[in-house]
Each structure stands twice: as structure tokens, then as C-alpha cells.
């Protein structure tokens, strides 16, 4: 589950969200304040992501403030602001203002993922468009139970549900209801709740390995994959094998007691000695 919050209005409720111990994603514009809260949110491991500088439609209209003059500038000003104001090293994902799909093509030149606003879930190795990912838009006034039902359904299907919310006060989805739903997800014991970039990197990394090419080198099998453009660094996927030894960069990987190896995605390759792996 990824909880995503748009427009940078959630600062008054940040401590409540933080107290749950889960990482979430905030899609912010240049007016996100106060800087101290958002800086802390980033430091706590939450994702601060691009919602453009002035929240315009892709035709440059209906901005909050003055249009930067181009969609490129709208993206880049927002990314620069997130980095300089909040001390974030990189911005990996975006969400189009108003869910306007007119942003999608440009998003490919700068980001790894773009969240859309159409209802749906994402499954392992499915063909969801990474530049128009589906969501469950939590309706204003929703109870925790409504969110819980979506969590339960996504869990039963083994899928990734991205939640979209805006205001967390009486006009939107009350923060207490959001927090209660996070506690519900945590209580299930096997639900991964994390930022969009973190779960998205697993989803895309898993697909990269599923589409990897294998070649033989003596008794070794060399598995190679290609990561998508603008993919975050330092990400891993879990892999199971029927036998043999796994190596990356000459280093033997240790088997995790949970029954898997943690494979680093950055190297783009893996060596299996002596037999084939099961993905
Ligand atoms: Zn918005």
C-alpha cells in the first residue's frame, strides 16, 4: 500500500502520520509549508515528490500562482525547490496536477513514475503504465473502514494499491481515519506499506528481472537486466533459486532465512553457479 498526499497541505497532521511508523509520499508544489515540517518528513524517510511548481493543467491554465512559462519549467522548478528547501537528494516520481494526462509524455523525460487518477491496482509483472499509475481516490468524509476494505481487497489479490488523498481535516479525509487504516494494514502482518518510489522500484525491478536475459559462461549463468530510465539507486528485489550460489560483482550473496536472496538492482547483473534460477 502506498499512501500519497497531494498539494502539501498535510503539515499540521504530519506528526500523526509519522507516529504510525510508515513511510508515505507527499506530492508538493512551491507553496508547501512550513519548510521545517517538510524537511523533517524527508529526513524521516518519507518521499517528497513532484506535483509541479504551480499546479497547472498541461495547457498552462488554472495555475496556483503564475505559470512558469513551460511544462518543463513547472517540473524543474518544483524539483529544484524540493531539493533546496527540504534537503532532498533526488526526486524520483511525480503526480500530474488535476490528473491531467497531458503531462504524461514529459514526465518520461524526468521521472521514473507518474501517478494518475484512474481507479485500479497494480499487480506483479503486469502492464500498468508507469506514467499513469492507477489509484484509489479516498473520498472526502471517508471512514477508516472504507479504506480498510480497499486494503483487504488489494491484499487478497496480491496487488499494490496507491491511495490518493488531499486535505486531512474535516473538509477531506480526517487524519484520524487515515491513521486508523494504517494501523489496520499493519495489523494484518504481511502488508508492505511504503512510499510510491520504494514499492514502485520493487514492482519495476521485479519486471526487469522477469525480462532478464540469461547466458552461459562455463558452468555459470549470467543474468542481465536493464532498469527503466530515471530509476532510483540502491534498490533490491528478493529472488529464490532452486540451488547454486549467487554472486554480484564477485561477492557471494547470503541466503536470507526467509528463503530468498536480496539482489541489488544497480549492477544490472547476477551470476548463478552452477544451475538455473527460478524467478
Ligand atoms: Zn493537486
Amino acid at each position: 500500500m502506498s499512501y500519497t498526499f497531494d498539494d502539501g497541505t498535510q503539515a499540521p497532521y504530519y506528526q500523526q502520520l509519522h507516529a504510525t511508523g510508515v513511510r508515505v509520499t507527499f506530492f508538493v508544489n512551491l507553496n508547501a509549508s512550513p519548510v521545517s515540517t517538510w524537511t523533517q518528513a524527508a529526513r524521516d524517510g518519507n518521499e517528497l515528490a513532484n506535483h509541479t511548481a504551480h499546479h497547472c493543467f498541461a495547457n498552462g491554465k488554472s495555475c496556483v500562482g503564475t505559470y512558469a512559462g513551460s511544462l518543463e519549467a513547472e517540473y524543474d522548478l518544483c524539483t529544484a525547490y524540493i531539493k533546496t528547501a527540504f534537503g532532498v537528494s533526488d526526486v524520483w516520481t511525480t503526480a500530474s496536477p488535476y490528473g491531467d494526462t497531458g503531462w504524461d509524455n514529459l514526465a518520461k523525460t524526468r521521472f521514473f513514475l507518474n501517478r494518475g487518477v484512474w481507479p485500479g491496482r497494480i499487480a506483479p509483472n503486469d502492464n500498468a503504465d508507469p506514467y499513469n499509475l492507477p489509484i484509489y481516490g479516498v473520498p472526502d468524509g471517508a471512514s477508516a473502514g472504507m479504506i480498510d476494505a480497499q486494503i483487504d481487497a488489494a491484499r487478497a489479490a496480491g496487488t499494490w494499491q496507491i491511495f490518493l488523498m488531499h486535505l486531512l481535516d474535516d473538509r477531506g479525509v480526517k487524519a484520524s481515519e487515515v491513521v486508523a487504516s494504517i494501523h489496520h494494514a499493519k495489523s494484518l502482518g504481511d502488508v508492505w506499506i511504503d512510499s510510491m518510489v520504494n514499492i514502485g522500484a520493487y514492482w519495476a525491478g521485479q519486471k526487469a528481472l522477469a525480462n532478464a536475459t540469461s547466458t552461459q559462461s562455463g558452468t555459470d549463468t549470467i543474468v542481465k537486466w536493464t532498469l527503466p530510465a530515471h530509476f532510483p539507486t540502491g534498490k533490491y528485489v528478493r529472488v529464490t533459486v532452486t540451488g547454486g550460489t549467487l554472486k554480484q560483482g564477485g561477492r557471494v550473496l547470503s541466503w536470507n532465512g526467509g528463503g530468498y536472496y536480496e539482489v541489488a538492482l544497480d549492477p544490472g547483473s547476477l551470476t548463478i553457479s552452477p544451475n538455473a534460477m527460478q524467478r
Side-chain angles (χ1 to χ4, degrees), residues 4 8 14-15 28 50 93 108 118 134 145 147 162 164 185 191 193-194 196 202 204 219 226 239 244 247 252 259:
T4 70
Y14 175 68
Q15 284 307 325
V28 300
N50 193 304
T93 76
K108 295 171 189 171
W118 63 280
I147 308 172
I162 300 172
L164 164 57
V191 175
I193 314 161
D194 211 328
M196 200 168 97
Y202 198 99
T219 57
T226 304
V239 167
K247 291 183 206 156
V252 175

Side-chain angles (χ1 to χ4, degrees), residues 6-7 51 55 97-98 166:
D6 287 13
D7 308 335
H51 200 34
H55 206 286
Y98 308 107
H166 298 89

Side-chain angles (χ1 to χ4, degrees), residues 103-192:
W103 289 91
D104 295 1
N105 272 328
L106 190 62
K108 295 171 189 171
T109 66
R110 284 159 170 77
F111 304 101
F112 155 56
L113 297 172
N114 179 31
R115 198 209 60 204
V117 294
W118 63 280
R121 302 188 184 103
I122 301 142
N125 294 307
D126 76 1
N127 290 318
D129 180 354
Y131 292 96
N132 188 11
L133 290 176
I135 52 119
Y136 175 74
V138 183
D140 290 344
S143 65
M146 288 178 70
I147 308 172
D148 293 352
Q150 299 298 320
I151 292 168
D152 294 348
R155 175 177 177 246
T159 51
W160 176 26
Q161 181 70 74
I162 300 172
F163 292 107
L164 164 57
M165 282 161 274
H166 298 89
L167 293 168
L168 295 181
D169 59 18
D170 289 340
R171 293 167 290 171
V173 186
K174 282 171 125 176
S176 56
E177 302 299 312
V178 177
V179 166
S181 79
I182 293 173
H183 286 305
H184 171 72
K186 287 178 73 174
S187 76
L188 297 169
D190 57 4
V191 175
W192 184 21

